[in-house]
Amino acid sequence: MTIDQNLIAKIAAEVMARVQARQPETASGGAGIFQTVDEAVAAARAAQKQLKKLTIEKREELIKAMRQAACDNAVLLAEMGVSESGMGRVSDKVIKNRLAATKTPGTEDLKSEAWSGDRGLTLIEMGPYGVIGSITPTTNPSETVICNGIGMIAAGNAVVFSPHPTAKDTSLVTIKLLNEAIIKAGGPPNLLTAVAEPSLAATNAMMQHPDINMLVATGGPAVVKAVMSCGKKAIGAGAGNPPAVVDETADIEKAAKDIIDGCSFDNNLPCIAEKEVIVVGSVADKLMAYMQRYGAYLISGPDVDRLANVILTEKAELAAAGCTEKPKKSYAVNKNYVGKDARYILSQIGIQVPDSIRAVICETPAEHPFVVEELMMPVLPVVQVKDIDAAIELAVKVEHGNRHTAIMHSKNVDNLTKLAKAIETTIFVKNAPSYAGIGVGGEGFTTFTIAGPTGEGLTSPRSFTRQRRCVLVDALSIV
Ligand code: NAD
């Protein structure tokens, strides 16, 4: 689907004007967008104070209104996201927006604990942190604002967002629409804020601001490192490179379909999406044949090298500091192709295919850059190995210790257990597309902030709370 940039700009302007017109009583119209970081933080701080005075029941009403607004605008935000960032598929982003709106947990996620006995009652409650700085990616712009917005407010916080500059309008419109819904439901203005011109400098100022109590980074390794070095409580949700392992016991046709469905979802932008396939040799040909039946286009020989020249850029680096040996090659992903349609990517090497082709597959050696790099596009390398032990060893290696996501197709419980234990990922999906791991076609809640590096796992409201203990001695134990 091609979207006119002018049309998107017009829609964004209309939405912003509508929100501003309805809420003229504060500097930002209550819609959360400010010129400076100081203003954005101060407004969020004031909003959080008001939120604290509301009951949990009222907080849940605000969440309900946010969910409704996100669902009502799921298509608009999907269209904006694809048009502005130039990445992804509108129909899949609609699913992601609705998923974030409906399956992000609310206040029910906050659980109290109690001890009672001879000496009275001790209670642990989950209280808000205060104002959270949330840094969001270009790959899931509206999805992450919806998900983190719901989860952080459910926990009683206000949020200052630092969106990726390449998805600025989509992120800011999402913030405005959610604020508008909150205000309409009787909540305070500016519970979600951001600056009008997001930048690295603004993000750094936000991170250092004394009134930001907690940082949450959803993005690549640089931003995760940045928040973890900040001296504040930080949640880091970083990069993945999820392998999909297939052994000889799997239902090969289903595995092929699931892998193509998962890897092509939103053009491979999700951090959980299948990024490489590792298959036991005896079933490799069958798997690749079925993958082609379910929407993959197979390339081989010189076409693989030509594709590599298009989607990768080459960097020369010294093998080690002070080393006098020849520089070794390393590769970076050409951002122009991140999140693009398979059809477009293939056209760059002169191959024309119909829209029904959703992924490009090719057989490669284990050390190929398509396997090693997190491509984030529907180009899926397939590596053959001799047996399950070799598959597990390679899967652990190419996941790079991110401990993010792995997928396996197998009917052998011992093999499944062996990989799960060895790879130690936050998400391990068995016999399904990767997105089952975030609640699409699988059980459980969703999140778009999967915190492997700092260990919260699939974040939910309770991840954004502080535990507080209240002790009453010699009373209120009634047995
Ligand atoms: P990115 O790291 O380029 O940007 C993410 C955010 O961090 C942006 O807002 C950006 O402006 C900011 N940022 C980047 N470097 C920074 C620095 N040094 N200091 C401060 N802020 C900085 O990532 P992206 O391209 O937007 O998103 C894709 C990456 O994010 C992939 O690696 C993907 O795996 C990862 N991701 C992870 C999750 C998760 O839940 N674990 C979710 C989505 C995306």
Side-chain angles (χ1 to χ4, degrees):
M1 182 174 183
T2 317
I3 298 148
D4 183 344
Q5 290 282 352
N6 292 332
L7 179 63
I8 291 298
K10 197 169 151 242
I11 294 171
E14 275 171 16
V15 173
M16 293 199 192
R18 179 160 58 86
V19 175
Q20 299 283 8
R22 280 196 212 162
Q23 305 299 335
E25 72 276 12
T26 68
S28 76
I33 312 306
F34 294 87
Q35 290 310 308
T36 68
V37 171
D38 280 344
E39 287 170 342
V41 175
R45 171 67 60 195
Q48 202 260 335
K49 277 192 182 140
Q50 292 187 53
L51 181 66
K52 266 171 73 177
K53 292 181 195 152
L54 302 181
T55 59
I56 305 265
E57 190 181 358
K58 185 68 195 176
R59 210 189 281 172
E60 195 50 44
E61 277 175 30
L62 308 185
I63 302 288
K64 191 174 167 202
M66 292 169 79
R67 294 189 196 282
Q68 189 63 51
C71 283
D72 291 348
N73 292 283
V75 175
L76 169 92
L77 295 172
E79 287 175 349
M80 281 191 79
V82 172
S83 168
E84 185 182 20
S85 68
M87 302 174 189
R89 300 176 78 96
V90 171
S91 54
D92 293 340
K93 280 204 190 293
V94 172
I95 294 171
K96 288 164 75 184
N97 284 332
R98 290 197 177 127
L99 179 70
T102 56
K103 287 192 91 173
T104 301
T107 56
E108 75 285 355
D109 192 52
L110 307 176
K111 300 262 190 276
S112 303
E113 259 185 274
W115 292 268
S116 67
D118 294 345
R119 299 310 307 268
L121 177 72
T122 291
L123 179 67
I124 301 274
E125 287 185 304
M126 293 178 160
Y129 247 85
V131 180
I132 300 179
S134 172
I135 306 166
T136 57
T138 186
T139 46
N140 304 324
S142 50
E143 303 89 311
T144 311
V145 170
I146 295 166
C147 174
N148 285 1
I150 289 175
M152 290 172 184
I153 290 178
N157 305 284
V159 194
V160 179
F161 282 104
S162 275
H164 197 293
T166 61
K168 176 188 86 166
D169 288 343
T170 311
S171 310
L172 298 189
V173 166
T174 311
I175 291 168
K176 283 167 178 272
L177 288 166
L178 295 178
N179 273 323
E180 182 188 32
I182 290 167
I183 295 166
K184 245 168 104 178
N190 301 318
L191 267 178
L192 309 174
T193 71
V195 292
E197 290 303 329
S199 65
L200 207 54
T203 301
N204 283 321
M206 183 278 283
M207 290 196 295
Q208 301 299 336
H209 199 290
D211 262 355
I212 292 288
N213 305 107
M214 178 192 208
L215 292 166
V216 178
T218 313
V223 68
V224 169
K225 189 170 171 209
V227 297
M228 288 174 76
S229 319
C230 218
K232 296 184 182 190
K233 163 75 182 180
I235 293 181
N241 194 35
V245 171
V246 184
D247 77 8
E248 65 279 15
T249 69
D251 176 339
I252 300 298
E253 179 172 1
K254 180 175 184 308
K257 181 176 185 312
D258 286 353
I259 291 170
I260 295 306
D261 286 351
C263 120
S264 63
F265 186 59
D266 207 18
N267 282 342
N268 202 252
L269 288 178
C271 51
I272 56 161
E274 292 83 350
K275 298 284 188 287
E276 60 277 336
V277 174
I278 300 168
V279 56
V280 170
S282 56
V283 290
D285 288 348
K286 193 172 167 192
L287 182 76
M288 284 193 284
Y290 275 124
M291 282 172 146
Q292 290 171 79
R293 182 184 291 182
Y294 288 108
Y297 186 88
L298 176 68
I299 60 167
S300 57
D303 281 341
V304 179
D305 297 335
R306 288 166 60 220
L307 186 65
N309 285 333
V310 170
I311 65 172
L312 299 172
T313 54
E314 204 174 282
K315 295 187 292 189
E317 275 178 358
L318 288 180
C323 181
T324 51
E325 288 167 22
K326 271 203 290 182
K328 89 172 180 206
K329 278 184 195 168
S330 72
Y331 297 90
V333 175
N334 184 339
K335 291 213 159 97
N336 294 332
Y337 296 95
V338 168
K340 291 285 192 282
D341 292 350
R343 182 182 174 193
Y344 173 77
I345 292 170
L346 283 170
S347 75
Q348 303 300 297
I349 57 167
I351 297 175
Q352 308 305 329
V353 296
D355 249 347
S356 55
I357 294 296
R358 288 187 57 114
V360 184
I361 57 169
C362 54
E363 210 184 314
T364 71
E367 62 281 2
H368 194 279
F370 287 1
V371 178
V372 176
E373 300 294 330
E374 186 194 22
L375 294 180
M376 290 192 291
M377 59 187 83
V379 172
L380 191 64
V382 180
V383 182
Q384 287 198 37
V385 289
K386 67 175 180 345
D387 57 24
I388 186 62
D389 289 330
I392 291 173
E393 193 182 332
L394 181 58
V396 170
K397 186 171 170 204
V398 301
E399 210 274 328
H400 303 308
N402 292 322
R403 301 201 287 181
H404 195 298
T405 297
I407 303 100
M408 184 160 174
H409 297 270
S410 171
K411 296 221 172 110
N412 182 319
V413 174
D414 292 340
N415 289 352
L416 288 162
T417 308
K418 230 196 260 185
L419 175 60
K421 279 192 174 188
I423 204 159
E424 294 186 330
T425 46
T426 304
I427 297 179
F428 187 72
V429 177
K430 292 173 245 168
N431 298 324
S434 52
Y435 45 65
I438 56 165
V440 182
E443 292 297 331
F445 68 89
T446 203
T447 184
F448 284 83
T449 296
I450 298 153
T454 48
E456 290 76 8
L458 284 85
T459 57
S460 66
R462 66 177 74 180
S463 315
F464 311 122
T465 60
R466 304 168 49 223
Q467 290 205 359
R468 298 179 59 196
R469 176 183 279 215
C470 184
V471 183
L472 187 79
V473 176
D474 294 342
L476 275 189
S477 174
I478 55 167
V479 288

